[in-house]
Amino acid sequence: MVQDYKVFINGNWIQTDDKIDVVNKYTQQTYVKIAKAGEKEVDEATEAAQSAFKDKQMPPYKRYQILKRVSELLQENKDTLAENLSIEAGKPLKQARTEVDRATQTFELSAEEAKRIHGEGVPVDAAPGSENRMAYTLKVPVGVIGAITPFNFPINLVAHKIAPAIAAGNAVVLKPASKTPVSALKLAELFQEAGLPDGFLNVIVGSGSEVGQQMMEDKRINAYTFTGSAEIGLKLKQNTGLNKLILELGNNSPVIVDKEADIDKAADNIAQKSFAFAGQVCISVQRIYVHEDVKDEFQEKLVHAVKGLKVGDPMDPETDVGPMISEEEAERAEEWVNEAVHHGAEVIEGAKREGALLHPTLLTNVEKNMKVVCEEVFAPVATIIPFSDLKNCIDELNESRYGLQGGIFTKNLETAFYAARHVEVGGLMINDSSQYRVDLMPYGGVKNSGWGKEGPKYVIEDLTEERLVVFNLDSEK
Ligand code: NAP
């Protein structure tokens, strides 16, 4: 049966005339219809956030209690949330369950951070002529946060937007991805149950070009936080004036397999980390640079590990690789593979498509200007690139426009330190692949991969302002 959802504004569930259909990504059947926010709803959501921020400020312990309660509710509702995630995103059930666990962490960490936001004393009396002055800083919330999220982690990336913002005392207007908005509305239900005062969270569903555009133009929004493609990230940068802006964008993650690596470990790890959620993870391994001395051994072991991945129905608890977000996206990735093959690339595994299901695909003999190498493929496609000299390899992989995370497998400390100093990324994993993230760590990219760090402790720096308070004391006393 098709379920109905409404948008969430000022603590109320609002029906509208237009609807957005959300399809089961495996069966392609509509399973939810959601009220589509128009101009009026976007306006009301922003108004509600602004008045909540002005009139209903909560002390830190209250924010802690609410966020902590949401983290508990996430665990109490884990099975239903994971099932919904699997249906709305096509995410294999075991990965969906992990996502709910991670969101639980994100809320718990944010709750804890709510109690740790503080300024510091500033010794202004150390400056000549300021002997009678005393100063300290306050960390104050920014105000209304406009958050826009992508389809690939519909719970945890929404959690990373909302939970630290509320921990810091802000109010939020959230626009989730149109393909996967149900999880965000379910999170709003949990917030309501946890007792969040009306207006602090507003969830409006609608297309990026309409709702997103209106949000960018609304002067009542004080800061924007966006996770998604570099293309839309650039639009935000060009359209949000002097407002604060946090951008978490794409990548074409590199991983190096050095000649002194544990090849079994590297092959098993990379097989998992290239194809989880059909490669639609911003830190999915896309470019595998392998030392030529170990290439044949590594390639054989990698192909063996990839053949062991179970492809199919995301609701099957054994499935490792499910469908992509849409058939069009799978066709687009298949075209990129075909284009590479046309120019000389060799398929060593996969390159088979059934509707939205693209089988894990490995390519070799690739050139650095092929889309599967230099663009973000965002699909279950990885490329193997041999190298003979580590310095040249790192120079070449740094030619990418992106720089979110990377990895290197090596037992050689000198090599590991060299990579740590020279690979241009926001995070480098040693003896692990690029796709490593826990929710407390600073996470964010350089170059076209974005600006600013997520991780509750780190993003709160951007979601608060530092206000200096200086006392001019009576020097006679
Ligand atoms: P996307 O197409 O950029 O969409 C992201 C969000 O932007 C969606 O909510 C979308 O709305 C909205 N949007 C679209 N056009 C807009 C406009 N003109 N103005 C304002 N908002 C607009 O990205 P996606 O396909 O959902 O997600 C995949 C991308 O996200 C990849 O590039 C991936 O690497 C990146 N990503 C990065 C991170 C990170 O932490 N760095 C994490 C996850 C994903 P609609 O859904 O309505 O189009």
Side-chain angles (χ1 to χ4, degrees):
M1 203 186 88
V2 177
Q3 289 169 272
D4 275 316
Y5 270 85
K6 298 170 184 164
V7 285
F8 185 65
I9 300 171
N10 205 19
N12 299 308
W13 293 94
I14 309 286
Q15 189 60 277
T16 60
D17 294 336
D18 282 349
K19 299 279 178 290
I20 286 188
D21 285 3
V22 184
V23 299
N24 176 321
K25 302 302 180 293
Y26 187 61
T27 65
Q28 295 298 315
Q29 302 297 310
T30 296
Y31 85 107
V32 163
K33 279 184 184 290
I34 299 185
K36 181 173 181 241
E39 215 170 295
K40 176 170 164 281
E41 287 75 28
V42 179
D43 180 60
E44 285 172 0
T46 315
E47 183 62 36
Q50 195 183 40
S51 354
F53 178 71
K54 280 191 177 152
D55 304 331
K56 299 182 193 162
Q57 267 306 330
M58 293 175 280
Y61 77 86
K62 187 77 191 151
R63 299 179 221 150
Y64 163 83
Q65 285 171 341
I66 291 167
L67 293 166
K68 180 83 178 91
R69 182 68 193 126
V70 176
S71 78
E72 290 162 2
L73 288 168
L74 278 162
Q75 281 302 295
E76 287 168 25
N77 293 279
K78 179 171 169 177
D79 290 343
T80 15
L81 290 166
E83 271 170 30
N84 172 68
L85 203 48
S86 213
I87 296 169
E88 81 166 330
K91 183 166 285 189
L93 200 53
K94 55 187 169 188
Q95 294 161 25
R97 293 177 68 80
T98 304
E99 184 173 342
V100 180
D101 286 342
R102 284 192 46 200
T104 306
Q105 278 282 307
T106 306
F107 271 92
E108 199 176 301
L109 290 160
S110 302
E112 288 162 358
E113 289 303 327
K115 296 195 283 188
R116 294 187 191 131
I117 298 168
H118 61 85
E120 61 181 16
V122 182
V124 286
D125 55 343
S130 281
E131 292 81 355
N132 62 331
R133 283 180 165 81
M134 229 179 97
Y136 70 99
T137 61
L138 279 172
K139 285 283 178 81
V140 297
V142 171
V144 177
I145 309 293
I148 301 180
T149 52
F151 74 81
N152 61 340
F153 285 84
I155 294 191
N156 196 35
L157 288 185
V158 168
H160 271 284
K161 297 296 181 207
I162 311 174
I166 288 177
N170 300 290
V172 182
V173 177
L174 168 76
K175 191 212 95 57
S178 301
K179 291 192 180 95
T180 56
V182 182
S183 295
L185 293 165
K186 285 185 177 290
L187 264 180
E189 288 173 351
L190 302 188
F191 263 110
Q192 227 180 357
E193 192 176 338
L196 183 74
D198 296 345
F200 272 100
L201 173 64
N202 305 277
V203 184
I204 42 178
V205 181
S207 85
S209 55
E210 294 165 19
V211 172
Q213 189 63 37
Q214 192 179 336
M215 284 171 72
M216 286 193 269
E217 288 163 10
D218 197 315
K219 297 289 169 248
R220 293 167 296 180
I221 296 184
N222 305 98
Y224 293 87
T225 170
F226 172 80
T227 301
S229 61
E231 182 197 345
I232 308 295
L234 179 61
K235 275 204 169 85
L236 264 102
K237 187 164 184 289
Q238 290 168 335
N239 286 288
T240 53
L242 296 174
N243 288 41
K244 279 194 167 203
L245 174 64
I246 300 162
L247 295 174
E248 301 290 340
L249 311 176
N251 199 28
N252 55 354
S253 306
V255 170
I256 300 168
V257 181
D258 178 42
K259 61 183 174 197
E260 292 175 78
D262 176 336
I263 302 297
D264 289 302
K265 179 176 168 180
D268 279 349
N269 182 302
I270 292 172
Q272 290 295 331
K273 303 297 178 74
S274 303
F275 303 113
F277 191 35
Q280 300 165 118
V281 180
C282 47
I283 42 178
S284 246
V285 182
Q286 180 174 332
R287 296 176 288 154
I288 311 165
Y289 293 87
V290 191
H291 195 281
E292 59 187 15
D293 290 359
V294 293
K295 179 176 180 268
D296 291 346
E297 181 193 355
F298 170 79
Q299 193 166 302
E300 191 184 312
K301 288 181 170 161
L302 179 64
V303 170
H304 177 76
V306 171
K307 282 188 191 300
L309 297 173
K310 184 161 182 207
V311 181
D313 183 353
M315 292 297 274
D316 176 344
E318 300 299 315
T319 296
D320 297 294
V321 183
M324 288 184 63
I325 194 69
S326 66
E327 186 159 350
E328 298 79 67
E329 271 298 288
E331 280 169 1
R332 191 262 313 152
E334 186 185 38
E335 265 171 37
W336 287 21
V337 169
N338 290 343
E339 191 181 291
V341 170
H342 180 73
H343 288 96
E346 184 193 338
V347 174
I348 51 174
E349 180 59 27
K352 196 172 100 191
R353 185 177 68 79
E354 303 155 77
L357 258 183
L358 181 63
H359 285 247
T361 300
L362 285 170
L363 298 172
T364 189
N365 278 347
V366 290
E367 299 291 336
K368 60 184 180 184
N369 58 355
M370 290 175 175
K371 281 191 193 135
V372 287
V373 178
C374 67
E375 304 281 333
E376 179 184 39
V377 66
F378 219 57
V381 177
T383 54
I384 298 179
I385 305 163
F387 73 91
S388 54
D389 176 80
L390 184 76
K391 182 178 177 305
N392 292 342
C393 166
I394 291 180
D395 286 348
E396 183 180 320
L397 69 83
N398 280 342
E399 286 173 21
S400 171
R401 299 197 301 276
Y402 296 108
L404 185 49
Q405 289 199 162
I408 180 166
F409 286 86
T410 184
K411 291 180 188 161
N412 185 315
L413 264 183
E414 295 286 334
T415 303
F417 274 107
Y418 183 84
R421 281 196 302 270
H422 294 95
V423 178
E424 294 167 358
V425 284
L428 184 73
M429 310 302 137
I430 313 288
N431 287 318
D432 210 335
S433 58
S434 49
Q435 203 202 109
Y436 171 80
R437 184 179 185 184
V438 288
D439 297 283
L440 55 77
M441 72 190 215
Y443 180 80
V446 298
K447 304 198 259 187
N448 286 8
S449 291
W451 287 9
K453 297 279 181 191
E454 283 196 338
K457 174 181 163 194
Y458 304 93
V459 77
I460 283 173
E461 290 297 315
D462 285 332
L463 298 173
T464 51
E465 306 276 13
E466 190 163 54
R467 180 175 300 153
L468 177 71
V469 183
V470 184
F471 287 80
N472 185 359
L473 301 166
D474 187 345
S475 54
E476 296 303 310
K477 289 185 184 158

